[in-house]
Amino acid sequence: MRGMEKVCVVGMGYVGIPVAVQFALSGFGVAGIEISQKKVELLGRGVCTIEGDEPRLAESLKDVVSKKKLVFSSDYSVCRNADAVIICVQTPFFRDGNKPDYACLKSAVESIGANLKKGALVVVESTIAPGTIDKVVKPLLEEKSGMKAGTDFYLAHCPERVMPGRLLENLNNMDRVVGGINEESTKRALAVYGKAIKAKLHPTSALVAEVVKTGENAYRNVQIGFANELALMCENLGVDAFEVRGLINTSPHRDVHMPGAGVGGHCIPKDPWLLVYGSGMEPKLIIESCRLNDSMPNHVSELIGKALAKRGRKMEGSKIAILGLAYLENSDDTRNSPSVALHGLLREKGASVSVFDPYVKSHDGIELSKTLEDAVSGADCIALMTAHSAFRNLDLKRIKGLVRTPLIMDGRNHFDNEMCKKQGFGIFGVGKKFEVD
Ligand code: SAJ
């Protein structure tokens, strides 16, 4: 990597791998740092460890690895030559403890600090609570490096805006907020990112960047929370929430989101809590929205119980077939998946639960069916939880012959009620008319 600007990217996950690949494609010499030796070995052979549909990512990774523009290591000493170090580690949130888990972040920052070159730029892409750069990252880097932030080295927050299924595309095209601890840090971060991505860059302070990132996802959580609360009211009134949503959205400046079986992923359920934690106050709307969205899998399990009762069955001893374990369509990502929550709730109520997801091969504590047919055979209710394309145009006639009780819970407005009823299924679900006689 002689002569090229050198970048270290720490944390080879959904964020770090695309970032490392993109910077390598843009002419930087890149080292991806990862604690998992297995991942280092696989990535070092150009094997992409992210599954699901990610256009261009696997072939781009192979390309830059073969050209030695991107190497991988678990040794932080490679940071000693880096002009920039980009941190992409996970920052999970403990709801019960109501505080962020910064163990990964702190460990990465300490190791980087101990191997930081004078004049280097450190950028945190991980989503962090407002105040984290100032109170956690900066002091740790100064302590471990013995240098002064903002003058001896530079520090900025450039929050990731990745989305499974569009990792590389988003990285290149979605606007980014670039917030330095001082002007010089912002300037240097703009220069580095300006060379790697085409997206519009918005300079600001590190604190504003922290509030923007957590705020943009808190906003989405509240938007979805409104849609879910409206759906609960529509169910109660016996009207179709999706018809209501569509008609509301004919009014200007309305954008009611999609009601659904819950809100999963590594952003929307977690980031609002980071904002609340960093805000130093107890906001009401944002916290209630998180709680309402988190309650949707429970609502789904109650709907299933109600439908089973209509058919003379109890939850106990019934078999429920969950279609979709991933939190998002056409993705293998099961983090904070509402399906995992539903699986636990149904088991607690004594049901046996099968799960089929074309993208997910395994998940701790959940046995996955190999085929959809296996999952639905003998089932007393099918619960559609993820709107994978593979679940479009299911052969309901054939499925009818496999189930024990023909009931469908539609968690993602995936099915047409009339079509299901025509095939002899009782149909119900989030925001849908309860049509189980
Ligand atoms: N969901 C709903 N109703 C909706 C939209 C989503 O129930 O109207 C559910 C999904 O089923 C899923 C969860 O919410 O379980 C999250 O879905 P998402 O579409 O927000 O997808 P994410 O989690 O990948 O969110 C990412 C975020 N991107 C970043 O943090 C960089 C988010 O900021 C984006 O707005 C979002 O993608 C997006 O717009 O696709």
Side-chain angles (χ1 to χ4, degrees), residues 380-400:
D380 297 299
C381 182
I382 292 171
L384 186 287
M385 291 291 285
T386 317
H388 287 316
S389 311
F391 297 149
R392 295 242 167 274
N393 314 314
L394 291 181
D395 181 349
L396 291 177
K397 198 167 166 34
R398 173 165 156 63
I399 292 172
K400 176 80 169 17

Side-chain angles (χ1 to χ4, degrees), residues 181-197:
I181 59 167
N182 61 358
E183 292 230 342
E184 185 59 23
S185 297
T186 304
K187 198 169 121 227
R188 289 172 181 245
L190 287 169
V192 166
Y193 275 79
K195 285 182 201 146
I197 59 177

Side-chain angles (χ1 to χ4, degrees), residues 15 127 159-166 170 174 213 216-218 220-221 223-225 227-228 245 255-269 271 293 296 326-329 331 333 335-338 385-387 411-412:
V15 180
T127 303
E160 54 89 0
R161 279 183 167 168
V162 300
M163 284 173 228
R166 307 198 286 270
N170 261 34
M174 261 189 103
K213 172 62 189 181
E216 71 191 29
N217 284 344
R220 187 165 174 83
N221 189 295
Q223 287 177 303
I224 300 167
N228 285 334
R245 167 184 181 266
D255 178 22
V256 176
H257 279 32
M258 288 294 278
V263 174
H266 63 294
C267 310
I268 309 303
D271 295 357
N293 289 330
M296 293 311 285
Y327 83 89
L328 197 67
E329 55 274 13
S331 155
D333 194 339
R335 282 174 290 184
N336 297 310
S337 172
M385 291 291 285
T386 317
R412 298 289 176 194

